[in-house]
Amino acid sequence: MDAHPTTPPPGPSGSSDRSDRTSPDRAAVRERADEVLRRLAGDRARLREDQWRAIEALVVDRRRALVVQRTGWGKSAVYFVATALLRERGSGPTVIVSPLLALMRNQIDSAARAGIRARTINSANIDEWDTVQAEVAAGEVDVLLVSPERLNNPDFRDQVLPKLAASTGLLVVDEAHCISDWGHDFRPDYRRLRTMLAELTPGVPVLATTATANARVTADVAEQLGTGTPGGGTTGESASDDGDGGALVLRGPLDRESLTLGVLQLPDPAHRLAWLADHLDELPGSGIVYTLTVAAADEVTAFLRQRGHTVASYSGRTEDAERRAAEADLLDNRVKALVATSALGMGFDKPDLGFVVHLGSPSSPIAYYQQVGRAGRGVDRAEALLLPGREDEAIWRYFASLAFPPEEQVRRTLDVLAQADRPVSTAALESRVDLRRTRLETMLKVLDVDGAVRRVRGGWTATGRSWAYDAERYARVAEARESEQQAMREYAAAGGCRMEFLRRRLDDEQAAPCGRCDVCAGPRHSPEVSAEALEAARAALGRPGVEVEPRRMWPTGMEAVGIALKGRIAPEEQASTGRALGRLSDIGWGTRLRALLAPGAPDGPVPGEVVDAMVTVLADWARGPGGWAAPGGGAARPVGVVTVASATRPQLVESLGARIAGVGRLPLLGRVEYGPAGPPRGARSNSAQRLRALHDAFVVPPELASALAAAGGPVLLVDDLSDTGWTITVAARLLRRAGAEGVLPLVLAVQA
């Protein structure tokens, strides 16, 4: 909770001239509000004028407000003080829709300091839901924090949400930029709030807050939440003719005087890693090192630990208990840094965070500002340093591929649901719709909010309501994404003050040169790295080899498309755990592999350095625990090499198989060939569709079957890329059925 000076600075422009602004009741409420704040933030704390204006709108005028203010401005003070005052007046509990567990934990602790009883309903406390709901019904809870995903859970939506809407005294939408698909962190679950807003008792105030929204996002959020008009993204109060003062939109300046921005252009990932190892201890206090991928976070953490730094990894794959421990370690300065993906972002509250370093550039100035805004909230000086890489744009392209699908795929989904006589699960839809699981789920949530589908027990159903595909809007969103990416290129190139640039991209009308960044005041950091650290970084990033986990289960719903495969893959038809040279998302080998395997890259013989690295992978594999592990236990050296037919990179795959066979003194037994229908077409997006395309795509030629029978042992199965894993699975099944005693996959790269 942020404490504020006794003498508050002036509020933003646009003050209301309402005649009752100085009424005795308002003065008493203001005095009581300051008393509550002192319980939250200390004896010297007093509300700033802009904070009071938001509280006044909620408590006295019972209006709706949208607050767009920088991180650390004190948005949580507004809703906790408003909650205390409204509860004293007999209002129902405050409901806060909050996106991250870290935020919820911080908010509950803050509320307790002010005597506010707060509880939460989220994915991490399922066992407590019934108890919490009973406490809310009994009036024992002042604040209920709810994750946005709960809003679209069928039981919660149908049984709990209507009761909350009827009894809520204040609705708070935290990190409200998530409601806008123009924003950098669009979350369709937030759209469900429109239903709750429509069901609120008249006169219930609503507060939407965010620190990261430009004018376009602000206007979109205001329109969708009913807190303003499409043009309501300006500082101050919006006009209204409804007689109650309209909605309040508070938009403040985004500068933080403690924050110093800088960019270091370094030649490659090894230099960036070495720089961090050499200079991490020079950065003030403790902080966050952001990476663009989970794989990079793990790599960087391992290297920094190897170099003697106390750091921890934090990503979407980190278990909840580990996340809590990592957050606590950073809060208490037991680690120098958390090496994190964007999973550590909104809601993490550490006022004395001393630095934020980005190894790789986010694709949006808004996303970047949101992350660097974690630092410098309660200290005199904090550093925000960007170390961009040439590989960043490949990662941007991947995340851009997850955008809302084309109309044909949406219509196909609606048709499948309309023809079904019962709810269809997301897994079952995958066998009929060519979309990856994450993209499919996001699309369904948008369709649910739009009224075209409905989530129920057992899956999804079509409502029969007409639905229009807003192609123009989706195209404009895509154009906005391209513009944001270009802005990040310009930010790194430093044509002027970096803070001014970010503030202008967020439509901050008060943007001006900061006088602190590396453009205004000169570079604070040398790009030099020690030879020792650079050598260690190159060795770490050049160390090849990651495991390739085999598929163990067939996808759900294959029988619906005429393929009689379900349940567990028979052990005698499975591949063993394999190996890849690297992940495409790695910052080490991934950089080289992305260029080699990029769509449209020329086919050709495998490069010598790649062969040498693959030999190292094989040697480490053989020496590792269990050696050449076979399904069901045991170990056996491979007796031959088999390749997989490739329509896009035949020379690469065949030369790789031949070189591996030659180095290992193994016979090249043959190739799993395409069947009469030729290479499979399309359908790479999800497991069910990929298996559907591959199921009858390959055959084992008679000569290869004979060679397998004569070889009498496991074989190396060589391919270029394992994306979904189903090519390896199908080929291994065919080889096992043809007589191979085991199949050991060996590929250049895995996608994840």
Side-chain angles (χ1 to χ4, degrees):
M1 185 65 56
D2 298 286
H4 307 296
T6 303
T7 303
S13 61
S15 297
S16 171
D17 59 357
R18 295 179 60 169
S19 60
D20 61 348
R21 182 52 53 89
T22 59
S23 67
D25 181 61
R26 292 178 189 275
V29 174
R30 171 64 188 262
E31 182 177 350
R32 178 66 183 135
D34 281 328
E35 291 176 7
V36 175
L37 181 68
R38 285 193 286 272
R39 294 206 308 260
L40 283 164
D43 292 340
R44 299 185 66 247
R46 186 170 184 267
L47 289 166
R48 294 194 306 261
E49 191 60 31
D50 46 8
Q51 290 174 310
W52 161 242
R53 290 181 61 215
I55 293 169
E56 179 186 39
L58 300 171
V59 176
V60 180
D61 300 322
R62 302 299 179 102
R63 294 163 62 190
R64 296 185 174 186
L66 172 59
V67 172
V68 184
Q69 300 282 359
R70 64 178 181 265
T71 303
W73 174 85
K75 296 182 286 292
S76 58
V78 169
Y79 50 72
F80 280 138
V81 171
T83 292
L85 300 182
L86 287 167
R87 292 290 278 165
E88 290 174 359
R89 293 178 169 214
S91 294
T94 292
V95 174
I96 301 177
V97 180
S98 177
L100 289 184
L101 299 183
L103 178 69
M104 291 185 179
R105 291 192 282 270
N106 288 334
Q107 302 296 53
I108 290 173
D109 292 342
S110 296
R113 292 197 295 271
I116 296 173
R117 298 161 297 181
R119 297 298 305 271
T120 179
I121 293 178
N122 61 67
S123 59
N125 71 339
I126 296 174
D127 294 341
E128 301 176 16
W129 288 359
D130 291 342
T131 301
V132 172
Q133 291 171 25
E135 291 173 351
V136 172
E140 298 171 359
V141 174
D142 298 314
V143 172
L144 178 65
L145 294 107
V146 180
S147 62
E149 291 74 20
R150 289 299 95 210
L151 300 177
N152 207 35
N153 174 275
D155 289 341
F156 188 89
R157 179 197 63 208
D158 297 336
Q159 299 177 28
V160 180
L161 199 57
K163 297 176 184 176
L164 284 178
S167 63
T168 294
L170 169 65
L171 175 63
V172 178
V173 184
D174 212 358
E175 308 297 350
H177 61 273
C178 295
I179 204 171
S180 174
D181 55 9
W182 296 104
H184 70 278
D185 197 19
F186 170 57
R187 302 188 184 194
D189 290 302
Y190 265 72
R191 292 281 183 92
R192 178 58 55 191
L193 285 164
R194 289 193 296 186
T195 302
M196 186 173 181
L197 282 162
E199 296 174 353
L200 286 176
T201 302
V204 171
V206 176
L207 173 66
T209 71
T210 179
T212 50
N214 57 18
R216 188 202 304 265
V217 173
T218 300
D220 192 28
V221 172
E223 181 180 13
Q224 293 193 51
L225 290 179
T227 53
T229 64
T234 59
T235 302
E237 294 187 53
S238 59
S240 175
D241 296 324
D242 59 11
D244 67 355
L248 176 69
V249 181
L250 284 172
R251 184 181 175 87
L254 299 176
D255 190 24
R256 178 174 293 119
E257 294 182 0
S258 62
L259 196 59
T260 300
L261 301 174
V263 175
L264 269 181
Q265 299 282 0
L266 297 169
D268 54 41
H271 277 80
R272 292 194 290 279
L273 211 53
W275 187 93
L276 194 58
D278 278 344
H279 299 280
L280 184 62
D281 285 337
E282 299 170 7
L283 298 174
S286 56
I288 302 170
V289 177
Y290 278 111
T291 65
L292 298 185
T293 67
V294 174
D298 292 340
E299 284 181 293
V300 173
T301 301
F303 177 72
L304 291 178
R305 284 176 173 171
Q306 174 193 325
R307 300 297 296 172
H309 295 288
T310 307
V311 297
S313 182
Y314 190 109
S315 73
R317 295 182 190 171
T318 307
E319 294 293 333
D320 184 62
E322 294 179 41
R323 284 195 187 199
R324 288 173 179 256
E327 291 168 11
D329 285 344
L330 183 58
L331 287 169
D332 294 336
N333 298 314
R334 290 190 293 266
V335 293
K336 180 65 177 179
L338 293 188
V339 184
T341 64
S342 59
L344 182 70
M346 294 180 299
F348 183 76
D349 184 11
K350 179 177 169 61
D352 63 341
L353 196 76
F355 64 88
V356 172
V357 175
H358 280 76
L359 287 182
S361 176
S363 61
S364 159
I366 302 176
Y368 182 65
Y369 184 82
Q370 192 256 343
Q371 290 175 350
V372 300
R374 305 255 64 82
R377 297 173 55 178
V379 293
D380 293 334
R381 182 177 73 87
E383 302 250 3
L385 192 60
L386 173 64
L387 279 62
R390 285 176 295 188
E391 67 274 13
D392 298 346
E393 301 206 16
I395 298 170
W396 297 351
R397 286 192 294 272
Y398 168 75
F399 286 114
S401 73
L402 304 179
F404 198 75
E407 183 172 8
E408 178 184 355
Q409 292 174 312
V410 182
R411 296 292 178 192
R412 169 63 180 162
T413 305
L414 292 172
D415 289 345
V416 169
L417 293 176
Q419 294 166 15
D421 57 3
R422 60 175 61 89
V424 182
S425 69
T426 308
L429 274 173
E430 284 186 306
S431 64
R432 310 178 199 184
V433 179
D434 188 15
L435 289 170
R436 286 188 184 272
R437 174 70 62 91
T438 301
R439 201 176 184 197
L440 177 60
E441 288 178 338
T442 299
M443 179 192 73
L444 288 167
K445 289 174 180 178
V446 172
L447 293 175
D448 188 355
V449 174
D450 289 345
V453 305
R454 184 171 175 81
R455 186 182 176 192
V456 298
R457 281 183 174 271
W460 301 86
T461 61
T463 64
R465 290 176 55 181
S466 62
W467 180 82
Y469 186 89
D470 195 346
E472 183 178 351
R473 179 179 178 87
Y474 300 137
R476 292 199 307 271
V477 171
E479 290 174 5
R481 297 283 186 271
E482 289 291 336
S483 174
E484 289 171 346
Q485 292 174 9
Q486 178 58 30
M488 285 309 298
R489 297 184 190 101
E490 294 170 4
Y491 175 82
C497 171
R498 298 194 196 275
M499 179 61 79
E500 181 182 19
F501 180 89
L502 290 179
R503 293 174 66 185
R504 290 194 183 283
R505 289 297 302 187
L506 271 77
D507 298 311
D508 183 352
E509 296 177 358
Q510 302 181 41
C514 69
R516 305 181 304 273
C517 71
D518 60 347
V519 175
C520 291
R524 295 176 60 89
H525 299 285
S526 166
E528 297 299 318
V529 299
S530 67
E532 180 187 7
L534 183 58
E535 182 181 357
R538 284 173 173 161
L541 296 178
R543 188 176 299 119
V546 296
E547 287 192 349
V548 179
E549 286 294 330
R551 291 283 186 172
R552 306 295 189 194
M553 301 288 293
W554 297 114
T556 301
M558 298 308 300
E559 290 178 309
V561 292
I563 298 175
L565 294 173
K566 64 178 181 179
R568 183 175 175 80
I569 301 172
E572 63 273 13
E573 296 183 352
Q574 289 181 13
S576 300
T577 299
R579 294 293 186 277
L581 180 53
R583 300 181 183 89
L584 290 184
S585 56
D586 288 346
I587 58 175
W589 271 101
T591 304
R592 284 166 279 187
L593 291 170
R594 281 193 296 271
L596 186 65
L597 302 178
D603 185 28
V606 61
E609 66 167 359
V610 172
V611 175
D612 293 341
M614 290 294 271
V615 171
T616 301
V617 170
L618 285 167
D620 290 344
W621 190 2
R623 289 193 299 264
W628 306 103
R637 187 178 188 276
V639 297
V641 176
V642 177
T643 59
V644 181
S646 173
T648 55
R649 288 180 283 268
Q651 291 185 62
L652 180 67
V653 175
E654 286 306 303
S655 65
L656 176 61
R659 294 292 300 274
I660 292 298
V663 171
R665 299 181 181 179
L666 298 170
L668 185 59
L669 300 177
R671 180 171 59 209
V672 179
E673 300 284 5
Y674 291 124
R681 293 176 176 83
R684 281 183 173 269
S685 58
N686 67 50
S687 288
Q689 289 292 325
R690 185 60 176 157
L691 179 58
R692 183 181 184 183
L694 290 168
H695 176 244
D696 293 322
F698 293 105
V699 296
V700 174
E703 58 272 22
L704 175 55
S706 297
L708 292 171
V715 296
L716 287 170
L717 179 61
V718 174
D719 202 0
D720 54 354
L721 174 66
S722 178
D723 183 358
T724 64
W726 289 110
T727 297
I728 291 292
T729 302
V730 169
R733 182 172 183 253
L734 289 172
L735 291 172
R736 296 296 302 277
R737 286 186 159 194
E741 293 183 11
V743 175
L744 302 161
L746 180 66
V747 298
L748 290 176
V750 289
Q751 183 72 52

